[in-house]
Amino acid sequence: AVVSTQSTGDSCENAWDRPLVYEQGWKKRITWVVGSSIHETVDVTYRYTIEPVEVRSRRGAREPGVQQMITRFNNSRYSHLSESTRAALNKRLANELTQMLLKANEGQQSQEQ
């Protein structure tokens, strides 16, 4: 169970801000890690892996469908929020997506070398 306000953690491991504990410590083959708050749900998988290309291959064709489901879920939640809260959440999501893409790109480049 991950509990987060701006940090990640696993209460069973007494490990905070160590997202690689699952992949490296427990040797789990991660496919999806989803974070949720009272306002939104976000795919945070790429914070939890050093093998983004392998993660993407395990996801296969399901990824677009899951991402669309998360988007629909968030849109229904956002409709009840103030404009300023939605803007802050969208800014945070854009930052998250940028980090995810940069990490995925780094993984792709290292596999090509």
Side-chain angles (χ1 to χ4, degrees):
V2 174
V3 179
S4 178
T5 55
Q6 286 293 330
S7 62
T8 59
D10 186 302
S11 57
C12 296
E13 286 288 315
N14 196 23
W16 300 99
D17 291 326
R18 290 182 44 216
L20 298 177
V21 71
Y22 302 104
E23 189 176 71
Q24 291 184 322
W26 293 2
K27 307 297 184 211
K28 296 290 184 183
R29 292 180 48 169
I30 293 172
T31 304
W32 297 97
V33 180
V34 178
S36 187
S37 73
I38 63 168
H39 297 305
E40 65 183 343
T41 298
V42 180
D43 176 6
V44 294
T45 306
Y46 292 97
R47 288 184 185 181
Y48 289 78
T49 184
I50 59 170
E51 302 292 343
V53 175
E54 289 182 22
V55 167
R56 194 174 314 122
S57 71
R58 285 193 293 272
R59 288 180 169 193
R62 298 175 299 190
E63 186 166 13
V66 172
Q67 295 297 348
Q68 288 173 357
M69 182 177 63
I70 290 171
T71 299
R72 284 193 308 270
F73 184 72
N74 284 338
N75 286 343
S76 70
R77 286 174 145 178
Y78 289 173
S79 66
H80 304 290
L81 300 175
S82 70
E83 186 64 37
S84 62
T85 301
R86 282 196 303 267
L89 291 171
N90 284 330
K91 183 178 179 180
R92 187 169 67 187
L93 178 60
N95 186 36
E96 182 76 34
L97 292 173
T98 300
Q99 290 176 22
M100 179 182 73
L101 290 171
L102 289 173
K103 188 166 185 178
N105 188 39
E106 287 171 7
Q108 181 70 39
Q109 289 175 351
S110 67
Q111 273 200 340
E112 290 173 353
Q113 294 176 351

